[in-house]
Amino acid sequence: ETISIGELAKELKKQPKDIIMKLMNLGVMATLNQDIDFETAEMIAIEYGISVSKKLTEEEIEEKRYNFEDRPEDLTKRAPVVTVMGHVDHGKTSLLDAIRNTSVTTGEAGGITQHIGASEVSLKGEKIVFLDTPGHEAFTTLRARGAKVTDIAILVVAADDGVMPQTIEAIDHAKAAGVPIIVAVNKIDKANANPDRVKQELADRGLLIEEWGGDVISVEVSAIKNIGIDTLLEMVLLVAEMLELKANPKRPALGTILEAKVEKGRGPVATVLIENGTLRVGDPVAAGATHGRVRAMFNSHGKTIKQAGPASAVEITGLNDVPTAGDKFYATEEERHARAMAEKRQAELRVSTLRKTPHISLEDLFNQISQGQIKDLNIIVKADAHGSVEALKTSLNKITNEEVRVNVIHANVGTITESDILLASASNAIIIGFNVRPSAVVASLAENEGVELKTYRIIYEAISDVEAAMKGMLAPIY
Ligand code: GDP
């Protein structure tokens, strides 16, 4: 078993070049990406007065094994995972209901869909997984916890209402995540529906649908009258085809916890989205700080199943405690490995409650640029007036130097919200507020997430602060 110099450096919190020097002193010539054996690694650690021993690595070896690259010949096509987003009351929930109802397959007809956090539907034998909690907040919360589960976003826009503030948020959240959007223009059954206006407004917002010469697919639907739902699903499959989604069913399962709770008589119950590999009843598993063996497994129709492959949403029992939504999930070969991983996570959590891991900040920007840690400075702009939003966005987007480029990932009129903080956390962005202030709740969320939030009353000051920070010349705050 081996470890690369880079990984060892990270583990010991030393510079790789120092490790390489130490190795040279031991008579070992090595480069950054080279693997060395554990005996040698241990000697280096001892040199630094750190006792690593084999214990350092058991769970790490395990984790590495589960993050290994799949061999191309083991990869097969997998189903897409879809999130529905859009403004409140535009019909997200109704659309999800319509989708579930149209695609109930014969075997499951009459069966009640269980709420497990995700549903699997099928169209012409092709599967699609829908996350049951609609909205960009849920999507970005998972992302802020490091889980990237969504492949495609369906943006619902009501044809009688048009593009609204949360429509814009949803667009920016999906774009920040690099997730392709399919537009569902909903409520076309209504007398005052105006789909053309919706498309025009989307174009104004930089989301160019096909009719406007762009590459974003849009479908006119009515969730209530069941119009266009099949076409929408076909478009999802089309986009999925272009994404060439693949997974390796032969490896042990790897996924993300979507929901978890305790149920009387069943103990901890968790919904897992299996992203890769195959999960079987009896497999030892770790989920965040919890572990156990899969005792029973159910699909979204409540049916007992023995195994589930990539892109499946399943409910499992058998964990020793309730994991958190967004936790990473691993099946392991041996139970002790699962336990070791859970214990490591517990230890990390204990440390992280004491010492938060901050995201980017203006004060630290230059440092991070110099170390080559960042190439993009992501900024979210919130202001009290449309004119200020545009002025800030335009000026900030122009700021650039050789090392780093400013990217305004979201800019909108209004106060700073929890959803802005989550987006900043998920995208390592800072938030600039102009003539707007966060509420106490939002400010404390920002602190918990380690997100920097700066408010200004003069546009010029905001811009010159960012410029100065990029050059490492920001005046220190006393
Ligand atoms: P959400 O807040 O985005 O989840 O929206 P809902 O699904 O709760 O829908 C909000 C309202 O719009 C409800 O009263 C729905 O009945 C109605 N609605 C949803 N889709 C349609 C539709 O296609 N046509 C019509 N006429 N009403 C709809």
Side-chain angles (χ1 to χ4, degrees):
E1 273 141 352
T2 60
I3 184 167
S4 78
I5 306 271
E7 283 162 333
L8 181 64
K10 233 161 125 194
E11 203 55 61
L12 300 174
K13 302 195 170 54
K14 301 287 173 201
Q15 291 296 322
K17 66 171 174 13
D18 296 340
I19 306 250
I20 292 170
M21 285 294 286
K22 286 249 190 267
L23 279 169
M24 277 170 68
N25 293 341
L26 292 170
V28 181
M29 293 301 183
T31 56
L32 182 61
N33 294 317
Q34 196 169 327
D35 287 342
I36 55 172
D37 58 43
F38 269 119
E39 280 63 41
T40 314
E42 213 165 16
M43 280 166 72
I44 298 288
I46 290 162
E47 286 254 349
Y48 281 118
I50 302 165
S51 141
V52 274
S53 77
K54 291 258 159 42
K55 264 205 99 213
L56 158 106
T57 50
E58 183 158 282
E59 58 271 21
E60 245 118 40
I61 296 166
E62 200 59 22
E63 232 175 278
K64 253 194 274 154
R65 272 185 42 210
Y66 289 92
N67 291 324
F68 72 85
E69 294 270 324
D70 293 302
R71 291 182 306 177
E73 59 266 36
D74 291 335
L75 294 174
T76 56
K77 189 175 162 188
R78 71 160 171 88
V81 179
V82 181
T83 302
V84 175
M85 301 183 188
H87 194 71
V88 65
D89 281 344
H90 278 198
K92 298 181 291 294
T93 312
S94 311
L95 185 66
L96 274 168
D97 287 344
I99 287 167
R100 279 191 290 253
N101 293 334
T102 48
S103 60
V104 176
T105 52
T106 39
E108 286 141 356
I112 300 161
T113 306
Q114 309 283 308
H115 178 89
I116 67 166
S119 333
E120 291 180 9
V121 303
S122 59
L123 182 83
K124 296 177 185 149
E126 301 248 29
K127 192 173 85 168
I128 306 172
V129 181
F130 280 89
L131 300 186
D132 276 346
T133 316
H136 55 276
E137 290 88 353
F139 167 82
T140 300
T141 302
L142 280 179
R143 222 162 63 77
R145 291 185 191 142
K148 299 188 179 77
V149 297
T150 302
D151 301 305
I152 298 169
I154 293 183
L155 178 71
V156 182
V157 191
D160 61 341
D161 203 23
V163 169
M164 298 302 273
Q166 287 165 39
T167 315
I168 296 163
E169 277 189 27
I171 294 171
D172 290 344
H173 282 230
K175 276 189 176 168
V179 170
I181 295 172
I182 296 175
V183 176
V185 181
N186 190 30
K187 307 198 188 183
I188 53 150
D189 58 292
K190 288 190 118 178
N192 58 344
N194 189 349
D196 288 336
R197 199 191 79 196
V198 171
K199 291 168 195 175
Q200 162 82 63
E201 287 172 352
L202 288 171
D204 292 344
R205 281 289 167 177
L207 196 73
L208 276 185
I209 62 157
E210 286 176 321
E211 293 160 47
W212 280 75
D215 56 3
V216 177
I217 295 171
S218 92
V219 183
E220 295 182 13
V221 302
S222 165
I224 297 290
K225 294 268 155 67
N226 228 326
I227 303 166
I229 306 298
D230 275 357
T231 313
L232 178 63
L233 295 179
E234 274 168 29
M235 292 306 134
V236 168
L237 290 174
L238 187 75
V239 172
E241 194 74 41
M242 294 192 289
L243 293 174
E244 296 185 46
L245 304 168
K246 289 201 160 68
N248 173 8
K250 289 184 187 162
R251 66 185 283 160
L254 185 71
T256 298
I257 299 291
L258 296 177
E259 282 191 13
K261 56 185 183 250
V262 184
E263 269 184 31
K264 219 175 149 192
R266 297 175 78 200
V269 178
T271 300
V272 185
L273 180 75
I274 301 169
E275 288 155 61
N276 205 354
T278 297
L279 183 66
R280 294 181 179 81
V281 169
D283 279 351
V285 291
T290 72
H291 64 95
R293 262 181 200 277
V294 179
R295 194 162 60 220
M297 183 152 64
F298 308 87
N299 66 14
S300 61
H301 303 284
K303 227 175 87 191
T304 309
I305 49 174
K306 287 267 169 277
Q307 63 172 57
S312 309
V314 295
E315 192 180 69
I316 61 158
T317 62
L319 289 171
N320 69 333
D321 205 343
V322 185
T324 308
D327 276 345
K328 279 253 156 275
F329 175 92
Y330 303 87
T332 63
E333 239 133 64
E334 291 187 45
E335 202 161 357
R336 67 190 170 92
H337 291 148
R339 175 173 312 159
M341 287 164 79
E343 279 167 2
K344 177 174 167 245
R345 187 77 195 118
Q346 274 167 27
E348 282 171 5
L349 288 173
R350 272 197 295 275
V351 173
S352 68
T353 47
L354 299 175
R355 181 171 48 82
K356 289 164 203 134
T357 39
H359 290 285
I360 189 91
S361 74
L362 283 187
E363 276 71 34
D364 196 36
L365 183 63
F366 185 66
N367 226 343
Q368 296 201 22
I369 295 172
S370 318
Q371 290 175 12
Q373 286 170 354
I374 66 159
K375 297 256 176 294
D376 289 284
L377 171 58
N378 290 338
I379 298 182
I380 293 170
V381 171
K382 294 304 282 280
D384 59 342
H386 191 68
S388 321
V389 172
E390 287 308 313
L392 271 163
K393 192 169 130 184
T394 313
S395 311
L396 287 169
N397 270 331
K398 273 190 206 142
I399 304 176
T400 178
N401 65 18
E402 270 156 37
E403 291 86 17
V404 69
R405 200 179 45 159
V406 173
N407 253 330
V408 176
I409 58 167
H410 178 59
N412 214 349
V413 176
T415 175
I416 298 160
T417 62
E418 294 183 33
S419 137
D420 295 326
I421 306 291
L422 289 172
L423 178 61
S425 174
S427 309
N428 197 21
I430 61 164
I431 301 179
I432 288 185
F434 179 73
N435 281 337
V436 289
R437 292 206 148 269
S439 68
V441 175
V442 171
S444 91
L445 178 66
E447 183 159 348
N448 281 334
E449 293 286 329
V451 166
E452 182 170 46
L453 209 161
K454 290 204 155 242
T455 53
Y456 296 89
R457 301 203 157 273
I458 300 169
I459 288 185
Y460 168 75
E461 279 179 6
I463 292 156
S464 68
D465 259 15
V466 172
E467 277 174 341
M470 283 171 63
K471 293 185 204 131
M473 287 165 60
L474 193 68
I477 297 167
Y478 298 106

